[in-house]
Amino acid sequence: MRSIEDEEVCRVCGYTDGDLFFEDTWPTHIICSCCGWESGTPPLDVSGTRQYRGYWTGQGVEWSSRGARPKDWDLLKQLRNIPEDWR
Ligand SMILES: [Zn+2]
């Protein structure tokens, strides 16, 4: 059963494919197919997350798993998925 402490949206880039980044607040250590962040590793605070996001966008928003990138991918739309606490 899903609890509200589960997180299936990447804090850095807003990507989700339904896999949990955090399960009941525990990191699952999955690696985001989009920005490459691994849950449970730094950045773990908001300012670090913003920095990582800034670095990632500054590097040209490379997908860590190129095959996962949808053809009609919309970065700005995805960024709007970022949980409010992590924007
Ligand atoms: Zn991500």
Side-chain angles (χ1 to χ4, degrees):
M1 208 175 90
R2 293 268 162 110
S3 84
I4 52 164
E5 304 295 350
D6 290 347
E7 281 183 44
E8 57 177 38
V9 175
C10 178
R11 294 175 177 179
V12 173
C13 71
Y15 178 78
T16 179
D17 60 9
D19 286 344
L20 292 178
F21 285 89
F22 290 85
E23 198 168 355
D24 202 17
T25 72
W26 293 96
T28 56
H29 286 274
I30 60 164
I31 294 172
C32 179
S33 305
C34 186
C35 70
W37 177 63
E38 179 184 337
S39 67
T41 66
L44 293 173
D45 61 2
V46 180
S47 71
T49 299
R50 286 179 183 150
Q51 237 173 56
Y52 188 107
R53 188 182 303 130
Y55 177 80
W56 173 68
T57 49
Q59 294 296 310
V61 294
E62 286 282 340
W63 277 66
S64 72
S65 172
R66 283 164 194 274
R69 179 183 170 145
K71 278 199 172 60
D72 57 351
W73 184 54
D74 185 337
L75 171 66
L76 294 179
K77 203 170 147 194
Q78 181 179 297
L79 291 174
R80 286 199 288 269
N81 291 336
I82 297 170
E84 219 159 293
D85 291 349
W86 298 99
R87 286 177 189 167

